[in-house]
Amino acid sequence: MKDKRLKQLALNIKAERVRKNFSQAQLAEAINISERSMSQIEQAKQTPSVFIIFDIANALEIPIEELFRGIPKRTDGE
């Protein structure tokens, strides 16, 4: 389940970044992380901290909830 949730988060981040016409480099610079880290986040190869997610939402000027859209809730035993 973690992989599914991380993949959905990654897809949401990329979709919002593209919708706002940011390059990975621009968004990375805006939130003070490396372009490589931004790429890894969008490929679901790196789990961003809650503070990075908060910074991404602020840089894109969207509610943080938008980045969690479509992410399934954790169920017992997962």
Side-chain angles (χ1 to χ4, degrees), residues 6-62:
L6 186 56
K7 285 180 184 177
Q8 187 61 55
L9 175 63
L11 288 171
N12 291 348
I13 290 170
K14 182 175 181 177
E16 290 297 330
R17 176 183 61 76
V18 169
R19 192 171 72 80
K20 293 286 187 159
N21 295 314
F22 272 75
S23 68
Q24 278 186 347
Q26 289 169 321
L27 183 54
E29 183 177 338
I31 64 170
N32 200 31
I33 65 171
S34 70
E35 188 174 348
R36 184 175 191 281
S37 288
M38 191 73 245
S39 175
Q40 295 284 307
I41 290 168
E42 287 191 1
Q43 294 176 55
K45 293 181 179 178
Q46 180 177 328
T47 303
S49 73
V50 66
F51 299 107
I52 294 294
I53 296 169
F54 181 78
D55 290 344
I56 289 170
N58 282 333
L60 296 174
E61 299 180 336
I62 60 171

